[in-house]
Amino acid sequence: MTEAADLLLTNGEIHSLTEPDTVTEAVAIRDGELVRLGDAYEIEFLEGVETTVIDCEGRTVLPGFIDAHTHLDHLGERLVHADLSAVESRAGALDALAAQADGPRTGGGAGSDGESGAEPDDWLLGFGYDESTWADATDYLTREDLDRVSETRPVAAFRVDVHTASLNSVALDRLRDDLPEGNVRFADGEPTGVVVEDAVGVLRDAVAAGPAAMREVIAAAAEYAVSRGVTGVHDMVQRSTAARAYRDLAAAGELPLRVRINYWSDYLDDLAAVGLPTNAGDEFVRVGAIKSFSDGSFGGETAKVFEPYVSVDEDAAAVDTDESEDGTSDNANRGQWVVDLDDLAAIVDRADAADRQLSIHAIGDEAIEETLSLLETTADPAGARHRIEHAELATDDQLARMADAGIVASMQPNFHRWADEGGLYEQRLGEERRTRTNRFRRVLEADVPLAFGSDCMPLDPLLGIHHAVTAPTESQRLSVTEAIRAYTHGGADAGFDEDRLGTVAVGKRADLVVLEDSPWEHPGRIDEIDVAMTIVDGELVFDGREEATGLQ
Ligand SMILES: [Zn+2]
């Protein structure tokens, strides 16, 4: 007698996303594994008394999305603290911060965390403000502004560029001895409350979540991710508290998705010391790549490009011109190395000697060139599945070399929102280079493994797929199937998970997303499609059927 299934999905339009894509009506799941696919009559014999049956009512079922580039700690901070990214005025930002003061204190606080009674839980924090989008004012938030939020608790608001932050008087007092003087802005002999660069780093350390608070931050982000249909992430982890939070949540059975941790290169020795090689781990948490950087970003005019930027942006100039090595005039700015090339070469060498996968941020064409040259020197680039993060301005020649070396292009289709005519990329790079950013069609033609991710800007695979399918340069658009593959199989492959994740096939883990509408039927409106359900390892981790609405 055949053992009954734990879960049956029936009456669905289930896309395998294998090559070729096949469509079936029903799927049976047992012990977190897909055990049978077919028409309803072919699997109904697997229904036992304990089996849960979900009628999909004709909805579209896909392999769960794998977001190959996330920062869940940053996303979680915005969810747990004040999210200032969408406020429309200075008053709105102050209101959002003040609302935090009324709410329950986050962060666990003294007593709730065995290790530390000193979690910085009295801070009022806001993230992602951008005064340039406000109707009523264009100056940074000031000490005076934030003193109106609280005169007794420290208040800090981080600007969207993360190079700038604003503090109230209590916060300035508390950090006075630690803030590097040159990075604290003054007017008439008094600090304005605005701090920049290294002082922002000091502030970040001061407010960094302790273990209990970080667990709350990560849990909030993971919950959000599954609500967007994400069943696995490759998370770029800079803080050890985040890595620990994943393991703690998984051990408690409270991690709703799979996490591949790409560790900041600072942890190379620690990983070796505790004996954790690439891919070590269990079903839910695994060791991924070593993450490092070459250049910055187009927005900050810090991505390293062969030809100079065409515009001088005030924000960008404030951030980076003093460190630019390329010339004395702004017009000659070609970006900057965030990690010195010699240092990056040393990181690549050490990681390679330890048989580690590498994941290196490179956006501009010159940064891609140098990063590629380093990765090509490793022992087995294809076997290690090294990745270039973003690879936005990759040339034809570079793509051919990436294909030859088997290096993964880890790209973010949502970045196309800056590539419209007249948009940010055109202002920075000019018209010709704008159309050469994020050429997904070209990447696939060159046979470069393509993994999609969001960089949490925002975390939303359907939005990314929408941008890939409707890309500003028509010749670079992907088909719906190709775009979904990059957000499913592409991530699985980049994470050594192609045998267990990334397609709907018998023997794979049961990670699925159920959509309210079919992307193939609404290729121009994929960003408007609601997620109805998310299933991870055979468990229903998100059920949005009540709130979901179909496209009209
Ligand atoms: Zn990132």
Side-chain angles (χ1 to χ4, degrees):
M1 200 191 116
T2 315
E3 218 185 315
D6 302 322
L7 176 64
L8 295 183
L9 298 187
T10 63
N11 194 18
E13 186 182 298
I14 304 171
H15 287 258
S16 66
L17 268 301
T18 50
E19 309 225 21
D21 182 31
T22 62
V23 178
T24 49
E25 188 185 354
V27 60
I29 294 160
R30 188 194 302 127
D31 296 330
E33 184 183 313
L34 302 171
V35 291
R36 199 172 170 98
L37 272 164
D39 289 328
Y41 72 87
E42 294 175 281
I43 67 159
E44 62 194 8
F45 75 98
L46 289 168
E47 182 179 347
V49 285
E50 309 256 298
T51 305
T52 303
V53 180
I54 295 179
D55 181 350
C56 293
E57 298 173 335
R59 292 182 178 94
T60 301
V61 183
L62 307 175
F65 298 126
I66 297 172
D67 188 328
H69 188 131
T70 60
H71 300 267
L72 290 196
D73 52 348
H74 295 167
L75 169 62
E77 278 171 341
R78 290 183 184 204
L79 293 168
V80 167
H81 301 287
D83 182 357
L84 305 180
S85 61
V87 302
E88 288 168 356
S89 65
R90 178 169 303 256
L94 300 182
D95 285 350
L97 283 161
Q100 291 289 301
D102 303 334
R105 289 191 178 193
T106 57
S112 71
D113 176 51
E115 282 190 15
S116 147
E119 293 215 359
D121 66 339
D122 61 341
W123 283 87
L124 293 171
L125 302 174
F127 293 88
Y129 84 83
D130 183 356
E131 77 296 333
S132 72
T133 66
W134 296 344
D136 56 343
T138 54
D139 286 340
Y140 296 144
L141 290 170
T142 64
R143 176 171 57 92
E144 278 176 16
D145 288 332
L146 298 182
D147 282 346
R148 280 188 263 141
V149 174
S150 177
E151 290 184 340
T152 54
R153 291 172 66 181
V155 182
F158 291 86
R159 203 175 173 277
V160 63
D161 65 5
V162 299
H163 293 275
T164 308
S166 303
L167 300 171
N168 74 344
S169 296
V170 179
L172 277 168
D173 258 6
R174 187 175 293 191
L175 298 179
R176 189 171 38 203
D177 296 340
D178 303 319
L179 293 172
E181 232 167 83
N183 293 330
V184 180
R185 296 274 163 83
F186 282 83
D188 304 327
E190 290 289 322
T192 63
V194 174
V195 301
V196 299
E197 301 301 336
D198 288 348
V200 179
V202 170
L203 173 63
R204 277 210 81 96
D205 287 345
V207 304
M214 182 58 91
R215 189 167 151 162
E216 184 188 1
V217 162
I218 292 290
E223 188 189 341
Y224 181 85
V226 296
S227 79
R228 313 309 296 192
V230 173
T231 57
V233 296
H234 298 175
D235 199 51
M236 309 297 165
V237 167
Q238 184 175 14
R239 293 182 268 183
S240 60
T241 43
R244 178 177 158 185
Y246 287 125
R247 294 211 160 75
D248 287 350
L249 287 166
E254 291 168 13
L255 188 65
L257 44 60
R258 300 178 204 273
V259 180
R260 182 174 175 83
I261 302 178
N262 288 355
Y263 287 89
W264 240 242
S265 56
D266 310 2
Y267 296 111
L268 251 172
D269 292 336
D270 296 332
L271 288 167
V274 296
L276 286 173
T278 299
N279 298 329
D282 56 24
E283 272 295 337
F284 276 81
V285 183
R286 291 193 179 180
V287 175
I290 293 298
K291 170 84 194 297
S292 193
F293 288 83
S294 58
D295 62 349
S297 69
F298 291 139
E301 297 197 349
T302 49
K304 204 73 172 111
V305 284
F306 285 128
E307 298 297 327
Y309 288 94
V310 298
S311 72
V312 180
D313 178 274
E314 278 173 46
D315 293 342
V319 167
D320 66 33
T321 46
D322 54 340
E323 281 176 57
S324 173
E325 65 188 48
D326 278 310
T328 47
S329 120
D330 284 330
N331 291 330
N333 178 30
R334 295 198 294 114
Q336 67 186 62
W337 302 112
V338 166
V339 173
D340 199 72
L341 278 185
D342 291 336
D343 295 340
L344 182 59
I347 290 166
V348 168
D349 273 352
R350 285 168 59 216
D352 184 37
D355 286 326
R356 292 202 178 272
Q357 183 186 26
L358 279 150
S359 153
I360 300 179
H361 169 120
I363 284 180
D365 43 11
E366 186 179 3
I368 296 165
E369 184 80 13
E370 296 296 339
T371 300
L372 190 48
S373 297
L374 288 174
L375 292 176
E376 283 169 336
T377 66
T378 60
D380 180 11
R385 301 190 196 181
H386 295 317
R387 320 162 29 141
I388 294 184
E389 303 304 317
H390 315 303
E392 290 195 73
L393 205 55
T395 64
D396 287 355
D397 171 61
Q398 290 164 351
L399 290 173
R401 284 167 61 193
M402 287 174 72
D404 281 347
I407 291 169
V408 176
S410 166
M411 303 180 78
Q412 292 69 40
N414 40 314
F415 289 6
H416 266 327
R417 72 167 195 254
W418 297 307
D420 283 327
E421 250 184 275
L424 179 72
Y425 283 6
E426 187 172 321
Q427 292 166 32
R428 299 288 192 270
L429 299 166
E431 164 64 11
E432 191 272 330
R433 272 186 299 184
R434 164 182 87 80
T435 64
R436 282 200 283 118
T437 57
N438 293 298
R439 297 182 301 158
F440 304 129
R441 163 72 42 216
R442 195 74 203 81
V443 171
L444 290 188
E445 281 168 359
D447 255 335
V448 178
L450 176 63
F452 273 167
S454 68
D455 212 358
C456 293
M457 294 183 178
L459 185 149
D460 188 351
L462 287 168
L463 175 67
I465 291 163
H466 170 81
H467 278 294
V469 169
T470 62
T473 304
E474 213 173 314
S475 60
Q476 295 303 328
R477 290 177 184 168
L478 297 188
S479 71
V480 171
T481 306
E482 288 168 333
I484 295 175
R485 259 194 201 117
Y487 241 125
T488 53
H489 176 76
D493 195 57
F496 292 84
D497 275 328
E498 68 277 13
D499 291 335
R500 66 176 187 138
L501 309 175
T503 58
V504 178
V506 169
K508 294 256 172 121
R509 302 310 297 172
D511 291 5
L512 303 168
V513 56
V514 183
L515 302 180
E516 211 50 50
D517 292 282
S518 165
W520 287 271
E521 279 169 32
H522 305 276
R525 301 173 66 191
I526 295 173
D527 56 331
E528 298 172 48
I529 294 175
D530 280 339
V531 172
M533 285 177 272
T534 306
I535 293 167
V536 175
D537 218 47
E539 302 286 333
L540 186 63
V541 294
F542 171 74
D543 187 349
R545 283 175 292 178
E546 292 267 301
E547 297 91 73
T549 51
L551 295 182
Q552 299 305 309

